[in-house]
Amino acid sequence: MAILVTGGAGFIGSHTTVELLNAGKEIVMIDDFSNSKMEAVENVKKITGKDFKFYEINYLDREKLEKVFEENKIDSVINFAGFKAVGESVKEPLKYYYNNISGAIVLLQTMQKYGVKKFVFSSSATVYGDPETVPITETSKVGGTTNPYGTTKLYIEQILKDIYKADNSWDICILRYFNPVGAHSSGLIGEEPQGIPNNLMPYIVRVASGELEQLSVFGNDYNTHDGTGVRDYIHVVDLAIGHVKAIEKLDKENSGLYIYNLGTGKGYSVLDMVHAFESATGKTVNYKIAPRRTGDIATCFADPTKAKEELGWEAKKTLEDMCRDSWNYIEKQMS
Ligand code: WQD
């Protein structure tokens, strides 16, 4: 019985597929390459030495999606497919609501049609909006999302809760990611944002490589230890392993709806990240203090206790690992 990984050629999807294959799971992957490349699919096979079926389709294409379920014995689904650029979502909300929410609905309807009810959803800490208190637990208030991307995650979580309420034979795991960074140690897969990166680590890496001139630190007047924004950065491989644990939990349970924060429980500021990157790589990161970015919050980091207790999962990789592996990936891409 196979696990269908949608958006499996993307940053989190490709790393998760590596860990699922390493754990001996059978995989079927779909991706439409709207924000990824076939090269990532091939590199997952190269890293693991394992093969799997791949379909280049958009999950909104119901007919083609049904063909995947006809041709394979799908037992569970991990949904990574979806657009994820916060800034772009503000400019093009309809594109995000259609792709992320309608896509999830078509996927869930197709699962229902074929009697597949085990579902892992790639959610995000953005569903907490501007948290009242930190560290954030899974019972912290959700809502007040500050961009359409985050709102799509919030709405899909609500759809999943309503599906489970209507039919509690579903077996659903919602994983709320904090800030994924880093890359597989092979340097063969990593974060490949299209155009100028929105996120901090891909920007730092491109300043260190000389591709971009200078990092703008968005504000140093926040109520944090050094005035710059604090986030819970988690190595993408730790995040990927969290998905293996989530699938194994669904395999054990017959039904349920489970929500977990996937974070380290530690918060680091922008300047902490700059300094950690410089000491891990020996590179210099040229930066300037710039005005705050609209929609940013001061501090966000997880309480990951529930995932440790119920999934037997915790992040193990260090900030140095995150910086070194991010740099190693770009060095390999540039060579
Ligand atoms: C981190 C910190 C910025 C860029 C977003 C999404 C979230 C998730 C991760 C998908 C903040 C500062 C950044 C720069 C900077 N994505 N920064 N200069 O905004 O915490 O979260 O990405 O799930 O859903 O919301 O991540 O990396 O953009 O910012 O100073 O050029 O770095 O102000 O404090 P964010 P980020």
Side-chain angles (χ1 to χ4, degrees):
M1 297 292 270
I3 301 165
L4 173 64
V5 181
T6 73
F11 177 40
I12 319 285
S14 57
H15 285 84
T16 299
T17 305
V18 164
E19 300 307 328
L20 289 166
L21 291 167
N22 287 345
K25 313 294 182 187
E26 188 194 343
I27 297 297
V28 174
M29 185 193 285
I30 66 171
D31 203 300
D32 65 355
F33 296 138
S34 55
N35 191 22
S36 55
K37 297 184 188 114
M38 185 62 184
E39 193 186 345
V41 181
E42 282 144 19
N43 283 332
V44 168
K45 294 181 179 179
K46 199 184 286 182
I47 290 167
T48 59
K50 298 192 175 174
D51 199 3
F52 53 86
K53 280 174 86 173
F54 174 78
Y55 296 77
E56 182 181 352
I57 64 165
N58 182 321
Y59 70 156
L60 276 156
D61 185 331
R62 196 185 294 271
E63 199 183 323
K64 288 192 178 145
L65 188 62
E66 290 192 357
K67 192 163 175 288
V68 176
F69 280 79
E70 296 283 355
E71 293 179 357
N72 300 278
K73 285 194 177 337
I74 306 289
D75 176 53
S76 52
V77 175
I78 305 181
N79 183 32
F80 293 106
F83 297 145
K84 63 167 187 172
V86 169
E88 185 188 44
S89 79
V90 174
K91 293 194 199 90
E92 299 186 72
L94 264 182
K95 173 180 172 182
Y96 273 68
Y97 286 120
Y98 180 62
N99 182 67
N100 291 11
I101 295 177
S102 306
I105 290 172
V106 170
L107 176 61
L108 289 159
Q109 286 177 323
T110 306
M111 287 175 67
Q112 194 168 47
K113 179 173 180 176
Y114 289 90
V116 180
K117 294 188 174 179
K118 291 181 185 295
F119 187 71
V120 177
F121 175 53
S122 158
S123 190
S124 167
T126 17
V127 301
Y128 294 113
D130 191 351
E132 284 160 353
T133 56
V134 284
I136 301 173
T137 69
E138 289 81 354
T139 53
S140 298
K141 193 171 71 61
V142 295
T145 44
T146 56
N147 56 75
Y149 158 76
T151 304
T152 68
K153 295 297 186 183
L154 190 65
Y155 286 2
I156 297 168
E157 285 198 8
Q158 187 55 54
I159 290 167
L160 294 173
K161 289 171 186 171
D162 290 341
I163 287 173
Y164 182 68
K165 214 183 288 172
D167 172 1
N168 59 21
S169 67
W170 280 79
D171 209 6
I172 295 167
C173 194
I174 292 170
L175 300 178
R176 291 173 179 164
Y177 307 163
F178 281 69
N179 288 58
V181 295
H184 188 267
S185 56
S186 65
L188 292 173
I189 51 176
E191 192 168 10
E192 194 73 73
Q194 318 273 4
I196 304 282
N198 282 306
N199 294 140
L200 179 64
M201 183 60 96
Y203 208 107
I204 286 177
V205 166
R206 282 161 180 76
V207 170
S209 71
E211 186 186 329
L212 295 172
E213 201 190 318
Q214 185 179 52
L215 168 73
S216 295
V217 174
F218 295 142
N220 67 345
D221 56 353
Y222 286 103
N223 181 16
T224 63
H225 65 275
D226 64 9
T228 64
V230 169
R231 296 292 184 273
D232 185 330
Y233 297 95
I234 176 170
H235 197 293
V236 63
V237 172
D238 278 330
L239 194 63
I241 293 167
H243 289 75
V244 179
K245 298 289 188 184
I247 277 287
E248 289 173 349
K249 169 135 181 111
L250 295 188
D251 287 345
K252 251 201 325 267
E253 312 285 347
N254 287 325
S255 66
L257 185 139
Y258 312 93
I259 300 176
Y260 299 104
N261 286 338
L262 294 189
T264 65
K266 292 191 259 328
Y268 291 103
S269 73
V270 178
L271 292 181
D272 289 337
M273 293 299 279
V274 169
H275 300 143
F277 185 87
E278 290 182 327
S279 56
T281 62
K283 305 300 288 180
T284 302
V285 178
N286 174 22
Y287 71 87
K288 69 176 179 188
I289 303 298
R292 291 184 177 193
R293 178 173 65 177
T294 314
D296 272 354
I297 58 177
T299 301
C300 175
F301 61 91
D303 175 343
T305 309
K306 191 179 174 200
K308 182 170 182 179
E309 286 172 352
E310 296 187 15
L311 298 180
W313 171 90
E314 62 180 330
K316 294 202 166 35
K317 290 187 178 283
T318 64
L319 199 55
E320 187 189 356
D321 296 329
M322 297 178 212
C323 295
R324 187 198 57 238
D325 292 341
S326 297
W327 178 242
N328 179 49
Y329 174 67
I330 286 296
E331 276 200 310
K332 284 258 182 344
Q333 296 305 306
M334 291 188 310
S335 60

